Amino acid sequence: MKIRTSLYLMKEAFVSLKRNALMSFASISTVAVSLLVLGAFGILGLNMGYMVSALESKVEVTAYMQDSVEGDALTQAEADIRAVSGVSEVTFVTKTEALSRFRERLGDQASMLEALDDQNPLPNAFEIKVDNPELVKPTAQAIEQMAGVETVKYGSEIVDQLFQMTKILRILGLVLLGFLVFATLFIISNTIRLTVFARRKEIGIMKYVGATNAFIRLPFLMEGMILGSVGGGVAAVALYYAYSALLYEVHQVLAFLYLVPLHPFIYIIGGALVGIGMLIGAIGSAISLSRYMDV
Amino acid sequence: MITLSNVSKTYSTGAVAMDDISLSIDKGEFVFIVGPSGAGKSTLMKMLLLEESPDKGDLIVNGHDLRELPKKKIPYLRRSMGVIFQDYRLLPDKTVYENVAFAMRIVEASRREMKQNIEKVLGLVGLKHKAKSFPAQLSGGEQQRVAIARAIVNNPVIVIADEPTGNLDPENSWEIMNIFEEINKSGTTIVMATHDKTIVDRMRRRVIALEKGKIIRDEAKGGYGDED
Ligand SMILES: Nc1ncnc2c1ncn2[C@@H]1O[C@H](COP(=O)(O)OP(=O)(O)O)[C@@H](O)[C@H]1O
Ligand SMILES: [Mg+2]
């Protein structure tokens, strides 16, 4: 097909969109709202993933040893811990080291320690790094079972909860995705059905003068793609402003939260929304064309 | 050019539109298809346009046997035909020029070729000065002339017209017939279904009369007859 013909068909698609302005507006709005929700979910999910990986490096399991374990037994315990699957790094922290760290942390208040009378109440400990934050909990549990281990603490339960939440979010997101895609497909194919109906006379004439199926269908396909991508574009712009406002607020109040920076993240999300919109638009009009246009 | 051999067509409603029809039309002929309403004239036109296919029998159009023609090729075969209807079928929101250009865009003609051909056919139907008008600003006769211009702009070998003067007064009807004569003179085959007794009787062309889906008469310089 010649470029000039494609341009002509594109123009026809825009004319038709303008002619059915109300319906076009309705379907663009629906697409925009759907993709906005979808995009918001995507941003939420990606941020949680981002937080998890940011916390990941900070997650450590600490195993506190019974004071009765000494010498070779400690060496053996270290070897046993290393052998647990998922463990990537083990550092031994002696009682003495632990105390001096504690003293440092106390700073001005270190004098409190004088009450201890040279006694060291802190246990020997192993600081353990784990390959994968999902393994923190099982690793901690496994180490807790080992002989000579008093207690096991791990960085935070936050990671655990984040994981649960991302899982739920993912399932929820998929359900929502299905629902929204269905809704947008429905509205777009309906819009295209109406434009096919409005232009049935033109379609008839095209057939009589020898237009091929592809030629007749192309403007409608373009129409669907325009509706979808404009809807996606609107959603992208809205998300851009919403997310930059959110980042600003979070930065003011909850600076410790790890959120994905605006650039280039939001452009990728926006591009994806426009792309998804266009794809849904194409599929929506293809559905309509196969059902309502007999060429 | 066109050959039908023992063609029958019954619609799914049970209406028999063509009943064992055989006929042959040569290149350059001017043929009237006459008969009362419901005789099967429009069905025959649609068959020539490959819009309906025969239940039985063979159909050859412009050298193509319909039986051996893949569906995908049908649009290309239609480009060798021009078609005109009683109700003009113009696009109301396009100008006269764009309505005619529409047929050429589909064959992806070059801009220069488009301009040339459109000027030529608008000249032939006497509407050069109305190129920028919209259909609603034209009389019925003028609208039908635009439809003719569109039908012939791609230089078809066959022109198929289904009651083209059905909505027109006698004066406009004659103007249309003059244009058809003109087109026929250049070698284009014309098949025209009509109700119009005066036209058929005065033109003295080949007449094929249908009734209840059968050919009841086929005469080389015939008149309308008394069937109606
Ligand atoms: N699309 C259709 N579906 C069912 N019956 C039809 C259809 N078109 C025409 N017919 C019937 O076929 C017969 C021939 O119709 P038609 O070819 O339109 O005749 P004419 O053009 O001579 O008036 C009539 O009985 C008509 O009712
Ligand atoms: Mg008829």
Side-chain angles (χ1 to χ4, degrees), chain A residues 207 210-214 217 293-295, chain B residues 49-53 65-78:
Chain A
K207 281 196 237 176
T212 56
N213 285 356
R217 284 167 182 230
M293 195 192 287
D294 170 37
V295 284
Chain B
L49 290 166
L50 310 172
E51 198 183 332
E52 295 286 354
S53 51
D65 188 338
L66 184 67
R67 234 178 251 285
E68 278 147 28
L69 190 72
K71 235 183 146 187
K72 271 193 355 213
K73 289 269 169 68
I74 288 178
Y76 300 96
L77 184 51
R78 282 197 184 129

Side-chain angles (χ1 to χ4, degrees), chain A residues 107-123:
Chain A
D108 291 347
Q109 295 162 321
S111 53
M112 269 169 59
L113 294 176
E114 278 160 25
L116 291 175
D117 247 1
D118 280 346
Q119 285 256 23
N120 184 353
L122 299 177

Side-chain angles (χ1 to χ4, degrees), chain A residues 59-79:
Chain A
V59 169
E60 259 183 7
V61 177
T62 312
Y64 297 99
M65 305 305 289
Q66 291 164 359
D67 274 341
S68 54
V69 184
E70 284 177 294
D72 284 351
L74 274 174
T75 321
Q76 183 57 43
E78 182 169 351

Side-chain angles (χ1 to χ4, degrees), chain A residues 2 4-5 19 205 208 210, chain B residues 51 79 89 93 108-109:
Chain A
K2 290 183 184 173
R4 194 160 60 89
T5 309
R19 199 180 305 148
I205 296 168
Y208 282 124
Chain B
E51 198 183 332
R79 293 177 189 182
R89 302 201 188 172
D93 52 359
E108 305 205 73

Side-chain angles (χ1 to χ4, degrees), chain B residues 47-60:
Chain B
M47 216 162 265
L48 301 183
L49 290 166
L50 310 172
E51 198 183 332
E52 295 286 354
S53 51
D55 298 338
K56 264 195 301 198
D58 284 324
L59 173 61
I60 295 172

Side-chain angles (χ1 to χ4, degrees), chain B residues 9-18 33-46 52 162-163 193 195 210 212-213:
Chain B
K9 172 84 191 177
T10 306
Y11 285 105
S12 53
T13 55
V16 178
M18 293 175 80
I33 312 288
V34 303
S37 185
K41 304 184 295 295
S42 292
T43 304
L44 173 60
M45 300 284 117
K46 284 180 187 163
E52 295 286 354
D162 193 354
E163 312 217 22
H195 253 103
L210 296 181
K212 294 186 183 131

Side-chain angles (χ1 to χ4, degrees), chain A residues 27-79:
Chain A
S27 45
I28 288 174
S29 309
T30 314
V31 175
V33 170
S34 299
L35 290 181
L36 188 66
V37 174
L38 208 67
F41 249 79
I43 286 180
L44 191 62
L46 289 169
N47 265 297
M48 295 190 63
Y50 186 73
M51 263 186 251
V52 167
S53 58
L55 288 173
E56 197 174 355
S57 54
K58 303 197 187 296
V59 169
E60 259 183 7
V61 177
T62 312
Y64 297 99
M65 305 305 289
Q66 291 164 359
D67 274 341
S68 54
V69 184
E70 284 177 294
D72 284 351
L74 274 174
T75 321
Q76 183 57 43
E78 182 169 351

Side-chain angles (χ1 to χ4, degrees), chain B residues 1-2 25 28-31 33 45 48-49 78 80-85 124 147-162 164 176 179-184 186-193:
Chain B
M1 179 100 303
I2 296 168
I25 297 171
E29 271 196 275
F30 193 136
V31 183
I33 312 288
M45 300 284 117
L48 301 183
L49 290 166
R78 282 197 184 129
S80 62
M81 300 188 256
V83 59
I84 296 145
F85 299 96
L124 182 73
I148 295 173
R150 181 181 63 198
I152 60 172
V153 74
N154 285 331
N155 299 313
V157 285
I158 309 167
V159 167
I160 291 161
D162 193 354
I176 299 290
I179 295 169
F180 278 135
E181 290 245 85
E182 217 40 57
I183 297 167
N184 181 238
S186 67
T188 309
T189 311
I190 294 183
V191 183
M192 173 173 157

